[in-house]
Amino acid sequence: MNDKLITFIKDKYSTQEFIPLHVPSFTAKEKEYVSSTIDSTFVSSVGKFVDLFEKKIEGYTKTPKAVATVNGTAALHTALYMAGVRHGDLVITQALTFVATCNALYHMGAKPIFVDISMDSLGLCPIALEEYLEENAYLDMDGVCKKKGTNESIKAVVPMHTFGHPVDLDKILRICSVWNLTLVEDAAESLGSFYKGIHTGTIGEFGALSFNGNKIITTGGGGMVLCGSESIGAHTKHVTTTAKIPHPYEFYHDEPGFNFRLPNINAALGCAQMESLDTFLIQKRNLANDYESFFKGSDYIFVKEPNYAKSNYWLNAVICPSVEARETMLQETNNANVMTRPVWKLMHRLPMFQNCYRGHLKNSEWIEAHLVNLPSTPIDKVYGS
Ligand SMILES: *Cc1c(COP(=O)(O)O)cnc(C)c1O
């Protein structure tokens, strides 16, 4: 399997050099837009590209208001803060995620509760969520969701659309409304992914996108909070920009704020990248189809989008038939200069999150032991030539 896989990937990328997991592609007006910010001196907190980038994301995702931030972690932090999460609160998320989801919680003094993933999406499982709540939570007299035994407040649910594959949001939304929980989507990996025709990150009250260098489009570093209404969006923007009341010269700030604003120079890169998003999505889908055909008929299972969704196929993944097969795939491909990676270590295995509450994590543990991520840079026909 592995020799054939290595040859297949090297042929795809038409190169014998090192093949990374994912690198950015700059094929549109990136240089032109970034240069224009330098020429104008507006590289920082003032300039037209931030508004323009927010408008482009609003148009593409059909969000009432999008607020650009310095990175995806800051977008999550802001979204959780706006959702009312405060010191001492609990927030339900999945153990199979990138650490940023939990770091955002940790730094607000909140704590994650880990619930299992579904095998369909590799994201938060609605059945596991419901079971966890029924066993471990109750609604108090004011309708606030509390943890049995300790009476800590459970405020929000944060599903993450793993590798771009949308979680089953309808079911999760229904559970959130029964339990009075705010739905905040970690859509960092899923720009261009749609759940039943609706863009991920826009079904919950808030969504967070990331434009880190390894994501489907990049601003160098950057993120975006997708807000469910214009008024909440305006407030979110206010909070991420030091909560300053506009005035020609006076300084007055009316609440605690963050300095999470995205610099104009990064937003310029984002505006140019948005012009290529549709192309990247087609190239990613083609690559995913090719991987799928490659693994067809073997005992390796290529991870496909759930049947209710359209995925951006941000990061391709395959499930190996055994733990040993996963180990040899990782070793042999990496030795052959083809970068592959296991999935993140489950969050409850990390020292800072090992004492967090959790439900059973059967699927998460199984996936952790069997999954390998494959090179996923969109392939331009001229790549490598
Ligand atoms: C990339 C990512 C983030 C945020 O990333 P930043 O590097 O801060 O932009 C958050 N959650 C998940 C699941 C991610 O993959």
Side-chain angles (χ1 to χ4, degrees), residues 48-239:
K48 64 176 184 184
F49 284 110
V50 176
D51 280 350
L52 202 62
F53 187 40
E54 288 175 346
K55 290 268 167 342
K56 278 179 188 258
I57 293 286
E58 285 162 10
Y60 184 81
T61 60
K62 303 200 165 61
T63 308
K65 179 74 188 109
V67 176
T69 57
V70 280
N71 56 50
T73 312
L76 271 170
H77 192 135
T78 306
L80 291 160
Y81 178 80
M82 294 306 295
V85 176
R86 293 292 181 271
H87 200 272
D89 289 339
L90 297 170
V91 171
I92 299 178
T93 189
Q94 52 204 65
L96 186 102
T97 186
F98 177 58
V99 71
T101 319
C102 301
N103 282 342
L105 285 169
Y106 180 89
H107 289 294
M108 339 185 35
K111 281 186 297 184
I113 297 178
F114 300 118
V115 162
D116 207 12
I117 54 166
S118 114
M119 285 303 222
D120 277 4
S121 65
L122 307 185
L124 194 70
C125 171
I127 300 165
L129 173 65
E130 190 157 48
E131 279 174 7
Y132 185 87
L133 287 164
E134 279 169 2
E135 268 172 42
N136 299 285
Y138 67 95
L139 289 175
D140 75 4
M141 309 250 278
D142 301 319
V144 179
C145 184
K146 294 272 173 79
K147 174 96 174 48
K148 280 184 193 162
T150 64
N151 306 320
E152 294 154 286
S153 297
I154 306 176
K155 285 282 180 66
V157 174
V158 185
M160 194 281 278
H161 305 293
T162 307
F163 310 143
H165 303 309
V167 304
D168 197 346
L169 288 165
D170 279 351
K171 291 189 185 137
I172 291 175
L173 198 57
R174 188 180 43 75
I175 297 164
C176 284
S177 85
V178 169
W179 289 90
N180 276 338
L181 298 164
T182 305
L183 178 58
V184 176
E185 295 172 64
D186 183 343
E189 306 183 353
S190 65
L191 176 65
S193 297
F194 293 81
Y195 174 76
K196 298 183 179 172
I198 303 171
H199 197 279
T200 50
T202 68
I203 290 174
E205 262 164 81
F206 295 93
L209 302 178
S210 166
F211 310 112
N212 189 33
N214 62 348
K215 298 301 198 302
I216 188 158
I217 68 160
T218 186
T219 56
M224 194 76 77
V225 189
L226 307 180
C227 306
S229 79
E230 272 182 50
S231 60
I232 292 173
H235 189 197
T236 304
K237 181 81 179 179
H238 184 63
V239 166

Side-chain angles (χ1 to χ4, degrees), residues 285-314:
R285 184 161 287 270
N286 288 342
L287 180 59
N289 283 336
D290 290 348
Y291 274 126
E292 190 191 348
S293 318
F294 174 83
F295 288 110
K296 195 165 268 162
S298 77
D299 46 4
Y300 289 72
I301 301 161
F302 180 71
V303 177
K304 285 177 62 176
E305 63 199 352
N307 55 22
Y308 51 73
K310 188 156 189 196
S311 174
N312 66 0
Y313 282 101
W314 168 60

